[in-house]
Amino acid sequence: MAASLDVTALGSIEVLGEEISLDELVLSFGVLLATVLLALVARRGLLKYAKRESTAHSSTWYTVSRVLGYTIVAIGVLAAVSALGVPLSRFAWLAGALGVGLGFGLQTIFSNFISGLILLFDRTIEVGDFVELESGVTGEVRDIRIRATRIVTNDNIDIIVPNSEFVTSQVVNWTHRDVSRRLRVPFGVAYGTDKNIVKRAALEAASELPFTLTLDGPHRPQVWLTEFGDSSLNYELVVWVNGDATVRPAAVTAAYNWALHSALQRHDIEIPFPQQDVHVRSIFGLTGQDARDALGLQNAGITDEPEANASESDNDAVDDVKGAGRDMPGAAEDLAE
C-alpha cells in the first residue's frame, strides 16, 4: 500500500494522491490562522459590546459569542482544506477514523463537547449563575468552554467541572429564576421560656441584618416552633434574603446565628445544652453553704454573677456577605477573556 504522504519534488508534497505545493500549504495555514484570530476578535468584540449596553443580557451574548467563534473556526478549517486543492471527498476516510476514535477513546471528550453546546443553548445554567453540584461544591459559573465549565467558589478557588456532569447529574441553580431565597436558621432555648419573648428576640435579630429582604408582607421573617427536643424547645428563624445573601449561604447562616445569640442574651433567654444534673437535698443533714463547708468546697469557683464581656466584637459574617462579588479578584474581567 502506497504511503499517503510523499515528497515528490522540491517545494511540493503529495497528500492522498494529490500534489500540493508549499505555497498552497502556506496559504492554507494562513487561512486557518486568520479564521482563528477572527473568531477571537469577534468574541471579544461581542462581549465588550454586551458590557457597554446596560440592557444587554450578558449570558445571551456569551452564548452568541461562543457559537459564533465555533462557526468561524469550522468555516476556516473547510477553507484551509480547500486552499490545499484537495477535494473534500478525499477526506471521507478521516470521518470513518474519527468515528472509530470517538467510539473508543474520544467518547468522553465528545460527550463533554456536546454537553457544552447543550448548556449554551438550553440556558438552564448560564455564566454568572450561583450553582451547587451534587458533590456539594458551590460557586459562581465564570466560563463555559468546549470541554469543561469553570466555577469559582466563595473562597476564590477555581474548580474545573466536565460539562457532562451538568447534563447527567443534579445541579441546584440558586439564581436561575429569582435571586431572593428563603433561609431557615435553627436554634434552641430552654424549656419554660416564654414563646412570645423568643419570637420577639428572633425578629429583632432578623431586623438587625441588612440582607433580610423585608420586615412585613408575605416575605416577612417568621419564627416557627419545630420540635420538642430532649433538652430544648427547637425553633427556626425563617427569613427571605436578598441576592447578595443568596450567593453566600454559609456566611449568611453564621451572621444570623451571631445576631440570634446576641438577641437571646439581651432577653436573658437560656440556650441549653445536653447535660445531667445530680440533686443532693442534704449532706449529713446540712444544706446550702453549710453543706459546701462540710465537703471543703468553700466558695471556690462558685459565683452568682456572670462575667462581663471583655469587649464587643463585630459580626464578621455580615461583612463577608456585603463584600460578595467585590472582594474576589478577576470577577469583572472574566467575561472578556
Side-chain angles (χ1 to χ4, degrees), residues 20 28 31-32 75-89 91 94:
I20 301 174
S28 176
V31 170
L32 185 60
I75 295 174
V77 171
L78 295 177
V81 173
S82 299
L84 292 175
V86 180
L88 294 178
S89 58
F91 289 88
L94 289 177

Side-chain angles (χ1 to χ4, degrees), residues 9-170:
L10 183 61
S12 65
I13 60 174
E14 185 176 327
V15 178
L16 301 176
E18 297 288 337
E19 186 173 328
I20 301 174
S21 66
L22 291 182
D23 292 339
E24 291 174 329
L25 282 175
V26 173
L27 177 61
S28 176
F29 178 78
V31 170
L32 185 60
L33 180 61
T35 53
V36 172
L37 293 177
L38 178 61
L40 292 175
V41 172
R43 285 193 63 246
R44 289 179 180 271
L46 281 176
L47 294 176
K48 288 182 179 179
Y49 171 79
K51 292 177 67 176
R52 290 197 304 267
E53 297 292 329
S54 58
T55 59
H57 199 291
S58 59
S59 61
T60 301
W61 283 106
Y62 180 87
T63 300
V64 172
S65 67
R66 278 292 182 189
V67 173
L68 178 62
Y70 295 156
T71 303
I72 293 176
V73 171
I75 295 174
V77 171
L78 295 177
V81 173
S82 299
L84 292 175
V86 180
L88 294 178
S89 58
R90 294 295 186 91
F91 289 88
W93 65 273
L94 289 177
L98 181 60
V100 174
L102 291 176
F104 287 95
L106 301 179
Q107 57 182 347
T108 302
I109 297 177
F110 186 73
S111 174
N112 287 325
F113 173 72
I114 297 300
S115 298
L117 294 179
I118 292 175
L119 292 178
L120 290 174
F121 286 102
D122 188 52
R123 296 180 61 183
T124 52
I125 296 175
E126 302 175 348
V127 173
D129 284 348
F130 190 83
V131 298
E132 179 180 354
L133 303 182
E134 196 170 15
S135 60
V137 172
T138 59
E140 180 185 350
V141 177
R142 290 288 182 85
D143 202 5
I144 303 175
R145 297 185 179 271
I146 293 179
R147 187 193 67 84
T149 295
R150 182 165 65 97
I151 293 178
V152 179
T153 69
N154 288 335
D155 296 326
N156 201 25
I157 299 174
D158 288 358
I159 299 180
I160 309 302
V161 183
N163 290 329
S164 58
E165 183 171 340
F166 289 93
V167 177
T168 60
S169 303
Q170 176 178 297

Side-chain angles (χ1 to χ4, degrees), residues 51-329:
K51 292 177 67 176
R52 290 197 304 267
E53 297 292 329
S54 58
T55 59
H57 199 291
S58 59
S59 61
T60 301
W61 283 106
Y62 180 87
T63 300
V64 172
S65 67
R66 278 292 182 189
V67 173
L68 178 62
Y70 295 156
T71 303
I72 293 176
V73 171
I75 295 174
V77 171
L78 295 177
V81 173
S82 299
L84 292 175
V86 180
L88 294 178
S89 58
R90 294 295 186 91
F91 289 88
W93 65 273
L94 289 177
L98 181 60
V100 174
L102 291 176
F104 287 95
L106 301 179
Q107 57 182 347
T108 302
I109 297 177
F110 186 73
S111 174
N112 287 325
F113 173 72
I114 297 300
S115 298
L117 294 179
I118 292 175
L119 292 178
L120 290 174
F121 286 102
D122 188 52
R123 296 180 61 183
T124 52
I125 296 175
E126 302 175 348
V127 173
D129 284 348
F130 190 83
V131 298
E132 179 180 354
L133 303 182
E134 196 170 15
S135 60
V137 172
T138 59
E140 180 185 350
V141 177
R142 290 288 182 85
D143 202 5
I144 303 175
R145 297 185 179 271
I146 293 179
R147 187 193 67 84
T149 295
R150 182 165 65 97
I151 293 178
V152 179
T153 69
N154 288 335
D155 296 326
N156 201 25
I157 299 174
D158 288 358
I159 299 180
I160 309 302
V161 183
N163 290 329
S164 58
E165 183 171 340
F166 289 93
V167 177
T168 60
S169 303
Q170 176 178 297
V171 180
V172 179
N173 192 336
W174 288 78
T175 55
H176 175 59
R177 180 175 49 85
D178 189 6
V179 295
S180 60
R181 289 290 180 269
R182 189 166 71 173
L183 179 71
R184 302 183 182 186
V185 184
F187 65 99
V189 301
Y191 276 97
T193 307
D194 191 324
K195 296 187 296 296
N196 293 321
I197 298 178
V198 174
K199 181 176 182 179
R200 187 183 310 130
L203 293 179
E204 287 179 6
S207 64
E208 292 172 358
L209 297 181
F211 33 81
T212 299
L213 188 62
T214 180
L215 297 178
D216 51 22
H219 288 172
R220 69 184 185 279
Q222 296 178 321
V223 181
W224 297 352
L225 176 58
T226 59
E227 184 184 16
F228 296 94
D230 293 335
S231 58
S232 65
L233 288 172
N234 296 328
Y235 290 83
E236 282 186 354
L237 172 61
V238 183
V239 290
W240 286 83
V241 295
N242 58 24
D244 290 340
T246 298
V247 298
R248 296 273 180 166
V252 169
T253 301
Y256 278 106
N257 283 331
W258 186 289
L260 275 170
H261 184 264
S262 299
L264 294 176
Q265 282 186 325
R266 284 197 303 270
H267 289 272
D268 296 324
I269 298 175
E270 180 184 354
I271 302 175
F273 54 89
Q275 58 184 321
Q276 291 182 342
D277 296 330
V278 178
H279 297 277
V280 180
R281 292 183 176 274
S282 64
I283 299 176
F284 310 119
L286 302 176
T287 59
Q289 185 60 45
D290 294 335
R292 289 196 293 270
D293 293 339
L295 292 176
L297 296 177
Q298 305 300 328
N299 289 323
I302 301 176
T303 177
D304 295 330
E305 296 294 331
E307 293 184 2
N309 292 332
S311 63
E312 290 294 332
S313 299
D314 293 332
N315 192 338
D316 296 330
V318 176
D319 297 334
D320 185 85
V321 177
K322 287 182 177 179
R326 298 193 299 271
D327 57 351
M328 195 174 297

